[in-house]
Amino acid sequence: FAVNVTTLDLRTLQYLNKNFPRLNGTVSGTAVLDSSWLDVRFSNAQLTHQDGDGPQSHVSGNGRVTWGDLYLTYDLDLQAQPLAFETLRKSYVNLPLRESLSGPIRVQGQSPDLRFTTSLSGDGGTLAFDGRVDADPPNYGAHGTGSVSNANLRTLLGNESLPHTSLNGTYAIDITGDSLPDFTGSASASLLDSRVANTALLPSSAKVRFGDGLITVDTLMLATGGTVANARGTIASAANRTGSRKFQVDLASPEDVRRLLGDG
């Protein structure tokens, strides 16, 4: 049967099933249901999510949500048009993104082990991810690979103090934790030709590990023009820890020094 919902407070679904995601706000829209209460199959969904006066998310698509004794099981094929991360942060405060991004989202599994595939684009570039996500508190995690294209961190993170960037490359993450001081695991990135402010970056790479309140930099190689910078060591991610770092910078010519320090 066809459903047309003017306003549904998501607290109602959370009350009916404690395993429903802790997403705040309301949903409105239409969908066609062919299901029972414990096994909801939907198609032709056109849904809008809002939470206060922030930007709205619009999602369309098909899927299935099956109630279980411990967890809900998801099989969702959705299209975000867009997904408003600024508003989602009201429910999930540790989300780093602020921009609204559009693109396909494929989700399968249960909250402790979700297969998650997406490629989202906006004014701040394109972000892609393919892997598994643990969305069941308190042990959040992400394990997979992805890519970035023309990524402008200033726009994506909503931070005007950051320089404009155009980052291109791939990454791999295997991280568990709900905030940076609690992270355990590892991450790596391979940067292709990119740009930070007026500086052109050549292919570069980094490998880091997280644990015990520290970020351990195993490899960090950053290349620009005739300059190659290498670093390794530790960075404190918790207030009660201290880090130690070593840097090496190779310059091809005195012009590189002037370019790095500025003409003045």
Side-chain angles (χ1 to χ4, degrees), residues 2-22:
V3 175
N4 189 330
V5 179
T6 302
T7 302
L8 173 63
D9 193 320
L10 292 175
R11 291 176 297 181
T12 301
L13 299 181
Q14 294 163 5
Y15 176 80
L16 294 172
N17 190 305
K18 63 182 180 62
N19 294 320
F20 193 83
R22 297 293 139 181

mmCIF file of all heavy atoms in Angstrom, residues 2-22:
data_model
loop_
_atom_site.group_PDB
_atom_site.id
_atom_site.type_symbol
_atom_site.label_atom_id
_atom_site.label_comp_id
_atom_site.label_asym_id
_atom_site.label_seq_id
_atom_site.Cartn_x
_atom_site.Cartn_y
_atom_site.Cartn_z
ATOM 1 N N ALA A 2 0.320 2.320 -0.521
ATOM 2 C CA ALA A 2 1.056 3.583 -0.619
ATOM 3 C C ALA A 2 0.897 4.372 0.672
ATOM 4 O O ALA A 2 -0.195 4.449 1.241
ATOM 5 C CB ALA A 2 0.540 4.392 -1.795
ATOM 6 N N VAL A 3 1.999 4.944 1.121
ATOM 7 C CA VAL A 3 2.013 5.718 2.363
ATOM 8 C C VAL A 3 2.459 7.143 2.041
ATOM 9 O O VAL A 3 3.424 7.352 1.306
ATOM 10 C CB VAL A 3 2.966 5.099 3.399
ATOM 11 C CG1 VAL A 3 3.063 5.982 4.639
ATOM 12 C CG2 VAL A 3 2.503 3.711 3.785
ATOM 13 N N ASN A 4 1.733 8.107 2.570
ATOM 14 C CA ASN A 4 2.082 9.515 2.446
ATOM 15 C C ASN A 4 2.106 10.102 3.854
ATOM 16 O O ASN A 4 1.062 10.257 4.481
ATOM 17 C CB ASN A 4 1.062 10.240 1.569
ATOM 18 C CG ASN A 4 1.506 11.662 1.237
ATOM 19 O OD1 ASN A 4 2.212 12.306 2.008
ATOM 20 N ND2 ASN A 4 1.083 12.158 0.083
ATOM 21 N N VAL A 5 3.305 10.395 4.356
ATOM 22 C CA VAL A 5 3.479 10.863 5.729
ATOM 23 C C VAL A 5 3.780 12.351 5.720
ATOM 24 O O VAL A 5 4.759 12.791 5.103
ATOM 25 C CB VAL A 5 4.628 10.107 6.433
ATOM 26 C CG1 VAL A 5 4.819 10.626 7.843
ATOM 27 C CG2 VAL A 5 4.343 8.614 6.455
ATOM 28 N N THR A 6 2.952 13.129 6.391
ATOM 29 C CA THR A 6 3.192 14.562 6.489
ATOM 30 C C THR A 6 4.320 14.861 7.461
ATOM 31 O O THR A 6 5.252 15.590 7.154
ATOM 32 C CB THR A 6 1.911 15.287 6.935
ATOM 33 O OG1 THR A 6 0.866 15.012 6.001
ATOM 34 C CG2 THR A 6 2.139 16.788 7.016
ATOM 35 N N THR A 7 4.273 14.268 8.654
ATOM 36 C CA THR A 7 5.333 14.429 9.657
ATOM 37 C C THR A 7 5.372 13.198 10.548
ATOM 38 O O THR A 7 4.354 12.835 11.137
ATOM 39 C CB THR A 7 5.110 15.678 10.538
ATOM 40 O OG1 THR A 7 5.035 16.839 9.713
ATOM 41 C CG2 THR A 7 6.267 15.841 11.516
ATOM 42 N N LEU A 8 6.532 12.555 10.630
ATOM 43 C CA LEU A 8 6.731 11.424 11.536
ATOM 44 C C LEU A 8 7.909 11.750 12.438
ATOM 45 O O LEU A 8 9.044 11.896 11.974
ATOM 46 C CB LEU A 8 7.003 10.138 10.756
ATOM 47 C CG LEU A 8 7.399 8.913 11.588
ATOM 48 C CD1 LEU A 8 6.269 8.518 12.530
ATOM 49 C CD2 LEU A 8 7.793 7.747 10.697
ATOM 50 N N ASP A 9 7.645 11.875 13.738
ATOM 51 C CA ASP A 9 8.703 12.112 14.707
ATOM 52 C C ASP A 9 9.465 10.805 14.913
ATOM 53 O O ASP A 9 8.880 9.784 15.268
ATOM 54 C CB ASP A 9 8.093 12.584 16.034
ATOM 55 C CG ASP A 9 9.145 13.140 16.988
ATOM 56 O OD1 ASP A 9 10.246 12.559 17.071
ATOM 57 O OD2 ASP A 9 8.859 14.137 17.664
ATOM 58 N N LEU A 10 10.784 10.830 14.658
ATOM 59 C CA LEU A 10 11.563 9.603 14.728
ATOM 60 C C LEU A 10 11.637 9.030 16.136
ATOM 61 O O LEU A 10 11.955 7.845 16.313
ATOM 62 C CB LEU A 10 12.975 9.861 14.191
ATOM 63 C CG LEU A 10 13.032 10.147 12.686
ATOM 64 C CD1 LEU A 10 14.447 10.502 12.266
ATOM 65 C CD2 LEU A 10 12.525 8.955 11.889
ATOM 66 N N ARG A 11 11.302 9.810 17.153
ATOM 67 C CA ARG A 11 11.251 9.274 18.503
ATOM 68 C C ARG A 11 10.162 8.216 18.635
ATOM 69 O O ARG A 11 10.257 7.319 19.489
ATOM 70 C CB ARG A 11 11.019 10.402 19.521
ATOM 71 C CG ARG A 11 12.216 11.343 19.669
ATOM 72 C CD ARG A 11 11.908 12.493 20.597
ATOM 73 N NE ARG A 11 10.822 13.327 20.065
ATOM 74 C CZ ARG A 11 10.362 14.411 20.670
ATOM 75 N NH1 ARG A 11 10.895 14.802 21.827
ATOM 76 N NH2 ARG A 11 9.394 15.125 20.130
ATOM 77 N N THR A 12 9.131 8.301 17.781
ATOM 78 C CA THR A 12 8.070 7.290 17.802
ATOM 79 C C THR A 12 8.625 5.922 17.417
ATOM 80 O O THR A 12 8.361 4.914 18.076
ATOM 81 C CB THR A 12 6.942 7.683 16.831
ATOM 82 O OG1 THR A 12 6.417 8.954 17.211
ATOM 83 C CG2 THR A 12 5.826 6.651 16.851
ATOM 84 N N LEU A 13 9.434 5.869 16.351
ATOM 85 C CA LEU A 13 10.026 4.599 15.929
ATOM 86 C C LEU A 13 11.032 4.094 16.938
ATOM 87 O O LEU A 13 11.147 2.879 17.168
ATOM 88 C CB LEU A 13 10.677 4.771 14.560
ATOM 89 C CG LEU A 13 9.743 5.177 13.416
ATOM 90 C CD1 LEU A 13 10.522 5.289 12.114
ATOM 91 C CD2 LEU A 13 8.594 4.175 13.267
ATOM 92 N N GLN A 14 11.764 4.993 17.580
ATOM 93 C CA GLN A 14 12.721 4.589 18.600
ATOM 94 C C GLN A 14 12.014 4.022 19.826
ATOM 95 O O GLN A 14 12.528 3.107 20.476
ATOM 96 C CB GLN A 14 13.594 5.785 18.980
ATOM 97 C CG GLN A 14 14.489 6.256 17.843
ATOM 98 C CD GLN A 14 15.038 7.651 18.063
ATOM 99 O OE1 GLN A 14 14.841 8.262 19.114
ATOM 100 N NE2 GLN A 14 15.712 8.194 17.052
ATOM 101 N N TYR A 15 10.843 4.547 20.133
ATOM 102 C CA TYR A 15 10.058 4.019 21.249
ATOM 103 C C TYR A 15 9.523 2.623 20.927
ATOM 104 O O TYR A 15 9.544 1.722 21.771
ATOM 105 C CB TYR A 15 8.903 4.964 21.562
ATOM 106 C CG TYR A 15 7.969 4.453 22.631
ATOM 107 C CD1 TYR A 15 8.301 4.575 23.983
ATOM 108 C CD2 TYR A 15 6.767 3.830 22.284
ATOM 109 C CE1 TYR A 15 7.445 4.093 24.970
ATOM 110 C CE2 TYR A 15 5.907 3.347 23.260
ATOM 111 C CZ TYR A 15 6.255 3.472 24.600
ATOM 112 O OH TYR A 15 5.415 2.989 25.565
ATOM 113 N N LEU A 16 9.084 2.429 19.682
ATOM 114 C CA LEU A 16 8.534 1.138 19.286
ATOM 115 C C LEU A 16 9.605 0.067 19.164
ATOM 116 O O LEU A 16 9.330 -1.121 19.397
ATOM 117 C CB LEU A 16 7.776 1.275 17.964
ATOM 118 C CG LEU A 16 6.514 2.132 18.002
ATOM 119 C CD1 LEU A 16 5.962 2.342 16.597
ATOM 120 C CD2 LEU A 16 5.455 1.482 18.895
ATOM 121 N N ASN A 17 10.828 0.457 18.780
ATOM 122 C CA ASN A 17 11.917 -0.504 18.650
ATOM 123 C C ASN A 17 13.203 0.159 19.117
ATOM 124 O O ASN A 17 13.693 1.094 18.487
ATOM 125 C CB ASN A 17 12.056 -0.982 17.199
ATOM 126 C CG ASN A 17 13.009 -2.147 17.072
ATOM 127 O OD1 ASN A 17 14.154 -2.076 17.485
ATOM 128 N ND2 ASN A 17 12.537 -3.239 16.484
ATOM 129 N N LYS A 18 13.770 -0.334 20.225
ATOM 130 C CA LYS A 18 14.953 0.290 20.820
ATOM 131 C C LYS A 18 16.177 0.203 19.913
ATOM 132 O O LYS A 18 17.177 0.891 20.129
ATOM 133 C CB LYS A 18 15.264 -0.355 22.168
ATOM 134 C CG LYS A 18 15.612 -1.829 22.093
ATOM 135 C CD LYS A 18 15.867 -2.409 23.471
ATOM 136 C CE LYS A 18 16.210 -3.893 23.410
ATOM 137 N NZ LYS A 18 17.437 -4.153 22.667
ATOM 138 N N ASN A 19 16.139 -0.670 18.881
ATOM 139 C CA ASN A 19 17.276 -0.815 17.984
ATOM 140 C C ASN A 19 17.239 0.167 16.817
ATOM 141 O O ASN A 19 18.178 0.202 16.021
ATOM 142 C CB ASN A 19 17.331 -2.240 17.422
ATOM 143 C CG ASN A 19 17.621 -3.263 18.496
ATOM 144 O OD1 ASN A 19 18.432 -3.028 19.377
ATOM 145 N ND2 ASN A 19 16.935 -4.394 18.436
ATOM 146 N N PHE A 20 16.168 0.960 16.710
ATOM 147 C CA PHE A 20 16.089 1.924 15.625
ATOM 148 C C PHE A 20 17.179 2.978 15.814
ATOM 149 O O PHE A 20 17.471 3.395 16.937
ATOM 150 C CB PHE A 20 14.713 2.589 15.592
ATOM 151 C CG PHE A 20 14.443 3.366 14.336
ATOM 152 C CD1 PHE A 20 13.987 2.730 13.196
ATOM 153 C CD2 PHE A 20 14.669 4.736 14.289
ATOM 154 C CE1 PHE A 20 13.748 3.439 12.037
ATOM 155 C CE2 PHE A 20 14.434 5.455 13.134
ATOM 156 C CZ PHE A 20 13.975 4.801 12.009
ATOM 157 N N PRO A 21 17.847 3.423 14.743
ATOM 158 C CA PRO A 21 18.937 4.407 14.871
ATOM 159 C C PRO A 21 18.519 5.631 15.665
ATOM 160 O O PRO A 21 17.391 6.116 15.539
ATOM 161 C CB PRO A 21 19.252 4.765 13.417
ATOM 162 C CG PRO A 21 18.846 3.561 12.638
ATOM 163 C CD PRO A 21 17.640 3.002 13.343
ATOM 164 N N ARG A 22 19.449 6.161 16.478
ATOM 165 C CA ARG A 22 19.182 7.321 17.326
ATOM 166 C C ARG A 22 19.288 8.610 16.513
ATOM 167 O O ARG A 22 20.049 9.529 16.827
ATOM 168 C CB ARG A 22 20.149 7.350 18.493
ATOM 169 C CG ARG A 22 19.998 6.152 19.411
ATOM 170 C CD ARG A 22 18.668 6.180 20.127
ATOM 171 N NE ARG A 22 18.050 4.847 20.205
ATOM 172 C CZ ARG A 22 16.876 4.598 20.764
ATOM 173 N NH1 ARG A 22 16.151 5.587 21.255
ATOM 174 N NH2 ARG A 22 16.387 3.375 20.804
#
